[in-house]
Amino acid sequence: MAERALEGIRVIEIADEQAEYAGLLLAGLGAEVIKIEPPEGNPTRRIGPYYEDVVDPERSLYFWQYNRGKHSVVLDLTQERDRARLSELIAGADVVLDSMPRGHLADAGLGYEDLSARSPGLVYARMSPFGDTGPWAGYKGSDLVHLALGGEMSNCGYDPQPDGTYDTPPIAPQMWQAYHIAGEQVVMGILAALYHRGATGEGQYLSCAVHEAAAKNTELDLMSWVMRRVPLYRQTCRHAMEVVTLAPTISQTKDGRWFIGVIAGGKDEQNLAAFMKQQNMEYPLNVDEAAGPQPRAIPGSTTGGLEEAARPLEIFQRVTRKFTWRSFPWEKAQEAGLFCAPLRRPEDNVADPHWRRRGTYSEVDHPEHGRSFTYPTSKWISTETAWVAGRRAPLLGEDTATIAPRAAAAAEPRALATPRRPRLSGRSAGRDKPFALDDVRILDFSWFLASAGGTRFLSAFGAQCIKVEWAAHPDTRMGAMAPVGGRAAREGARGPLPGVTDPDMGGQFNNKNAGKLGISLNVRHPEGLAIARRLVQLSDVVAEGFSPGVMDRWGLGYEQLRELRPDVIYAQQSGMGAHGTYGRFRAIGPVAAALAGTAEMSGLPDPAMPAGWGYSYLDWIGAYSFASAILAALMHRQRTGRGQWIDASQTEAGIFVGGTSVLDWSANGRAWSRIGNRSPYKPAAPHGAYRCAGGDRWVAIACFTEADWRALADVAGRPQWLADPRFATLADRLAHQDELDELVTAWTVGEDRYDVMHRLQGAGVPAGVCQDASDRYEIDPQLAHLEWLTEVTGTKIGRWPVAEVPVRLDRTPAYIGGRPDRGAPVYGEDNEYVYGELLGMSTSQIAKLAEDHVI
């Protein structure tokens, strides 16, 4: 029977919607999560949808989804007796997860300083909307507000009109994605802190602002602005780009559903022609199907050839219209080599044999209702540990009488084979603090963001990460290129700058691979394979992001690796997972989002097209998940001495974040339908993005309470709104949202967006500008206060800011420059160190390897 990765770990969760997802992940990894609730219950029990649409705190599907596998203990922290009991519970716990308002626990004598004095091994994780210090520390957040300020909304929405102006607002991806983004990163920080504690016995305090986490979750926009001062334009269900492409990548079937087909180069066009021939359709353009492999463009790496790029996409649209959604032979298209998938709704995956085989879903029994419901419960497969479905979410106070304090946590350090001096983090003041993973080495075959982004975080936590590339198949280096003229040209720029074409000077590559070492190695060559096998023996983790089977064909699959090092952790990240029927299918971020359901979930209601995501969101979610999988495996090995094989899937990570929608389908038979920027489940009105002065300028406003509504009317100077019977109650406002949105827009359209935001926040109303990359980089004072970017120096690209890890650990601070204290490596930059110092080769031997095209 598979073990639990976090066996024996006890978590005390004192959290609202910001951090419940993080607690869900910890419970899924096997921790005992004890949720502390007030007598009236956690506020998230009053978020819909509800089972059978009966509004009841014990029927909230939202609460069911995010609190599965947890225990509920009711304590009234205004009472001394209950404060004392909570103190006793925490004394025997390993982790505290806190997202309460500033000072809530400290004022009760339960702040970190009080608790750590008694329990020095305690890991205390704090989540807050904007951070507990800084100019926006007192501002109110919400999912909509964080996605606006973080930049997600500015990347997501619909194509502009032909004149370049937008007639639709930015669209917030649904549902609760800001808290998923932050929760994933907090869990990474907790796992790193627990690993450090396993080696030293030392706990620590870590914190994360949802705003900062969201601000770093976009893709091409940030580095395009940082490097070349280039703005990007949002487009329907495809990457935001420097220019608006002429055809979307999604196509409609004859029955009104959608498919995605990413055709980004000559090879993809060849594959489309072959697929059409297979379907007895004639490809209308001249394509040499017998020609050799053609290049495939990487999203964001080119802006030329718009007409040429649009033609095969328009042809794919013709193909799609020949079929219904269920009859489209997309698996045949995949077999023909196309990046193709249906835009599924979340519930469409439940019956898929691929996910059933992988154990992605579980039936969780709800004895009170005499039935079970379907939940997504697993994000990856492992040979040693398994995700835990757990029992259904607890009834209020269900475990108050049965949960007992444990003895104070004894986190004894593990014995080290040889003494070592800790490597120090470049982020700490005076460089006097160690890295959490300073004894870990990763042989990194990752590429693209979904896998390379995962090892990015591990190198920032201190792992020595050796990135392997080969000239015939390098990572995606050509995106957000450094400007001609370098940093000096950028600092003096007043408009977009041309970029260099040197693959060693890509800003996007620098952002996702900073802090790593880099070697060139041809593992298809017998000598190259022998070198790779030697490096495996020196490595704790082998990470890769190729299509399933590639490493096996090279002779570097898990069975071969553990012959070389029995305790090795082999972690692979693919689009759909190696095990199952889709293992050989092709996927990149947008294809994974289509299949997972996240693309279909966001956008205006039918009959509008799905707006989807304006970047590869599941590359980021997959990267966070990949890093956590490796961290959990390192913890398991620290405890047991055993390695494992991890089979991770970015699509599966996307399925997991759509859990509430799956549960609504299972419980109520309700299929997902898009809701634009509205908030039907945590009722709010107005709730949306409203145009401000200055063109494509918008502010997000979320009024959840009567106090919010009255404050909005007061700030707007519209007392007549309060007297209008259409808006007398929240239920009335929800019933008249179209009219209400028109009135709010009539006010905001002449106002400065930041002025509206600050005035509303000053009155206690959650509001936030829909910031783009320039706003976050040039204007946002809270991000500047949080030092969200870190300057690192690349050998060739020079010194540039890149996104820092948003989780702050006070004893083992992460640092994006990693052990080498630099930006991403030049191709093959560390050959001399790796082959010389680590493997003991002479200079002449290394030169001979280069001459023979081995390195």
Side-chain angles (χ1 to χ4, degrees):
M1 181 177 177
E3 297 181 9
R4 300 180 177 207
L6 297 187
E7 186 72 39
I9 297 296
R10 173 174 275 192
V11 178
I12 304 297
E13 178 189 295
I14 314 166
D16 58 6
E17 64 191 282
Q18 293 177 96
E20 282 184 331
Y21 177 73
L24 173 68
L25 295 179
L26 295 172
L29 290 170
E32 178 192 30
V33 179
I34 301 169
K35 186 173 187 67
I36 307 300
E37 299 194 68
E40 68 275 15
N42 197 283
T44 54
R45 290 182 178 272
R46 289 175 284 282
I47 297 177
Y50 295 92
Y51 178 44
E52 297 179 330
D53 293 330
V54 176
V55 178
D56 184 314
E58 298 291 11
R59 287 173 169 252
S60 164
L61 302 185
Y62 178 95
F63 188 85
W64 288 8
Q65 160 63 15
Y66 290 99
N67 293 280
R68 173 177 47 80
K70 301 178 185 179
H71 304 273
S72 171
V73 171
V74 168
L75 295 175
D76 183 353
L77 298 187
T78 67
Q79 302 298 313
E80 177 60 34
R81 180 187 62 186
D82 283 1
R83 291 198 298 271
R85 186 176 180 201
L86 179 55
S87 180
E88 288 297 319
L89 287 173
I90 292 174
D94 303 281
V95 178
V96 169
L97 181 59
D98 164 27
S99 66
M100 292 292 97
R102 285 185 300 172
H104 180 80
L105 295 179
D107 291 347
L110 296 167
Y112 175 66
E113 296 300 327
D114 304 299
L115 299 172
S116 61
R118 183 176 180 182
S119 305
L122 181 68
V123 173
Y124 191 107
R126 167 86 176 134
M127 288 182 69
S128 62
F130 293 95
D132 288 334
T133 62
W136 294 359
Y139 280 10
K140 289 185 176 180
S142 76
D143 186 47
L144 179 76
V145 167
H146 286 304
L147 294 173
L149 286 166
E152 283 79 8
M153 286 181 69
S154 71
N155 280 271
C156 301
Y158 293 99
D159 283 16
Q161 300 177 103
D163 64 0
T165 61
Y166 285 93
D167 54 353
T168 54
I171 301 293
Q174 301 295 321
M175 332 166 29
W176 288 283
Q177 302 298 345
Y179 301 133
H180 296 152
I181 291 164
E184 291 276 359
Q185 298 186 66
V186 164
V187 167
M188 282 194 296
I190 290 171
L191 294 175
L194 287 171
Y195 183 81
H196 171 73
R197 191 187 73 162
T200 66
E202 181 180 58
Q204 60 184 303
Y205 179 86
L206 62 95
S207 62
C208 178
V210 177
H211 176 45
E212 182 179 3
K216 295 173 179 176
N217 186 260
T218 62
E219 191 177 358
L220 298 170
D221 66 330
L222 180 58
M223 285 301 116
S224 293
W225 185 266
V226 167
M227 305 302 295
R228 294 177 39 233
R229 207 178 183 275
V230 171
L232 301 190
Y233 299 93
R234 61 184 181 275
Q235 309 183 96
T236 305
C237 210
R238 59 198 190 277
H239 276 65
M241 297 278 284
E242 292 184 33
V243 295
V244 178
T245 56
L246 298 181
T249 55
I250 61 170
S251 308
Q252 195 168 34
T253 60
K254 64 175 67 173
D255 55 349
R257 295 288 299 272
W258 300 88
F259 272 81
I260 190 169
V262 180
I263 304 165
K267 183 59 178 175
D268 289 343
E269 192 170 357
Q270 288 175 326
N271 294 337
L272 175 59
F275 169 65
M276 291 179 64
K277 183 177 180 181
Q278 180 190 89
Q279 299 299 315
N280 299 313
M281 299 176 69
E282 182 177 346
Y283 192 78
L285 301 176
N286 292 324
V287 171
D288 184 357
E289 297 177 41
Q294 300 294 307
R296 181 175 60 82
I298 303 302
S301 65
T302 179
T303 59
L306 294 180
E307 290 283 357
E308 182 179 352
R311 283 196 295 270
L313 290 171
E314 290 166 346
I315 293 167
F316 181 77
Q317 291 169 7
R318 297 183 207 171
V319 175
T320 306
R321 288 194 294 270
K322 297 290 185 182
F323 298 94
T324 66
W325 190 76
R326 294 196 180 279
S327 69
F328 189 102
W330 72 275
E331 294 182 33
K332 294 290 186 184
Q334 278 277 352
E335 290 168 3
L338 287 175
F339 286 100
C340 174
L343 268 72
R344 287 180 169 170
R345 299 185 182 115
E347 68 274 7
D348 291 328
N349 280 302
V350 172
D352 191 314
H354 177 75
W355 306 119
R356 286 292 181 180
R357 181 175 172 184
R358 290 181 62 84
T360 306
Y361 297 93
S362 298
E363 295 297 312
V364 177
D365 188 40
H366 284 246
E368 299 78 19
H369 302 292
R371 57 168 294 193
S372 64
F373 300 103
T374 306
Y375 292 77
T377 56
S378 175
K379 296 175 69 179
W380 61 76
I381 295 172
S382 167
T383 55
E384 282 285 326
T385 58
W387 279 84
V388 180
R391 70 173 188 184
R392 52 92 176 108
L395 303 177
L396 178 61
E398 181 172 4
D399 307 289
T400 303
T402 57
I403 293 292
R406 295 192 315 187
E412 296 296 332
R414 64 186 173 86
L416 298 177
T418 55
R420 57 174 171 75
R421 188 173 75 178
R423 298 169 180 87
L424 303 181
S425 170
R427 193 179 189 177
S428 63
R431 295 181 63 99
D432 59 348
K433 296 182 180 180
F435 281 114
L437 305 185
D438 65 359
D439 62 341
V440 174
R441 177 177 291 134
I442 301 172
L443 187 60
D444 185 7
F445 290 92
S446 68
W447 70 317
F448 276 71
L449 181 58
S451 55
T455 52
R456 169 194 199 267
F457 291 105
L458 301 179
S459 67
F461 288 131
Q464 184 184 70
C465 190
I466 302 172
K467 183 173 181 62
V468 182
E469 292 183 275
W470 180 237
H473 197 249
D475 200 351
T476 52
R477 289 174 166 268
M478 303 295 287
M481 305 306 293
V484 174
R487 186 71 179 268
R490 174 61 182 87
E491 290 179 351
R494 294 294 178 268
L497 298 171
V500 301
T501 56
D502 185 337
D504 282 324
M505 296 177 69
Q508 191 70 357
F509 182 83
N510 192 41
N511 188 49
K512 71 183 178 185
N513 289 290
K516 300 181 182 181
L517 304 180
I519 62 170
S520 56
L521 182 64
N522 181 6
V523 297
R524 292 185 178 91
H525 192 289
E527 286 187 70
L529 178 59
I531 290 170
R533 291 169 66 85
R534 290 179 64 190
L535 288 171
V536 169
Q537 293 175 309
L538 300 177
S539 300
D540 302 279
V541 178
V542 175
E544 58 106 337
F546 301 120
S547 296
V550 170
M551 294 282 281
D552 294 275
R553 291 195 295 274
W554 289 347
L556 294 171
Y558 178 60
E559 295 303 323
Q560 296 97 333
L561 295 183
R562 67 176 181 170
E563 289 177 3
L564 300 169
R565 178 160 179 166
D567 68 345
V568 71
I569 295 166
Y570 171 54
Q572 62 179 145
Q573 172 92 287
S574 59
M576 302 180 197
H579 293 81
T581 57
Y582 298 160
R584 299 299 301 276
F585 283 4
R586 294 157 62 86
I588 52 177
V591 174
L595 198 67
T598 56
E600 172 67 68
M601 286 178 73
S602 293
L604 297 173
D606 284 332
M609 301 169 72
W613 290 77
Y615 61 96
S616 295
Y617 174 58
L618 293 192
D619 274 22
W620 272 125
I621 291 294
Y624 307 146
S625 184
F626 194 49
S628 290
I630 295 170
L631 284 162
L634 285 167
M635 285 188 61
H636 178 263
R637 191 182 72 168
Q638 191 181 62
R639 187 176 74 248
T640 67
R642 299 196 300 273
Q644 61 184 274
W645 174 15
I646 298 163
D647 173 13
S649 155
Q650 66 181 129
T651 304
E652 217 159 7
I655 287 172
F656 197 88
V657 299
T660 304
S661 306
V662 171
L663 188 53
D664 193 21
W665 170 84
S666 177
N668 294 322
R670 183 162 37 225
W672 172 261
S673 59
R674 295 187 299 276
I675 54 178
N677 288 325
R678 291 184 173 169
S679 182
Y681 301 122
K682 185 180 179 182
H687 189 278
Y690 302 93
R691 190 184 294 275
C692 295
D696 188 33
R697 297 286 185 263
W698 307 81
V699 64
I701 301 172
C703 289
F704 297 99
T705 68
E706 291 302 320
D708 292 341
W709 166 239
R710 291 183 177 279
L712 170 64
D714 181 61
V715 169
R718 303 296 197 275
Q720 63 271 28
W721 292 353
L722 302 178
D724 193 321
R726 294 175 299 173
F727 312 136
T729 67
L730 178 56
D732 293 325
R733 294 192 291 278
L734 289 168
H736 296 92
Q737 288 187 82
D738 290 340
E739 302 99 303
L740 183 56
D741 285 346
E742 288 180 7
L743 291 174
V744 174
T745 299
W747 165 55
T748 60
V749 73
E751 301 288 326
D752 176 80
R753 55 193 176 138
Y754 281 102
D755 184 56
V756 170
M757 167 187 158
H758 294 312
R759 288 163 60 199
L760 287 174
Q761 284 282 3
V765 180
V769 168
C770 293
Q771 296 194 126
D772 59 20
S774 67
D775 299 323
R776 297 178 346 255
Y777 186 59
E778 311 281 358
I779 297 174
D780 190 318
Q782 187 65 20
L783 291 177
H785 172 81
L786 294 171
E787 298 179 334
W788 73 306
L789 303 179
T790 295
E791 299 261 348
V792 292
T793 302
T795 303
K796 200 169 183 181
I797 197 173
R799 191 163 184 82
W800 292 93
V802 296
E804 187 52 87
V805 177
V807 181
R808 305 300 200 272
L809 294 85
D810 73 336
R811 301 290 178 86
T812 59
Y815 170 55
I816 202 62
R819 287 196 206 173
D821 189 14
R822 72 169 195 216
V826 169
Y827 177 75
E829 177 167 359
D830 299 290
N831 285 353
E832 292 289 335
Y833 166 73
V834 172
Y835 300 133
E837 292 192 36
L838 291 187
L839 297 185
M841 296 181 185
S842 67
T843 302
S844 60
Q845 286 177 307
I846 296 171
K848 182 66 165 59
L849 291 172
E851 181 182 329
D852 293 342
H853 303 291
V854 177
I855 64 173

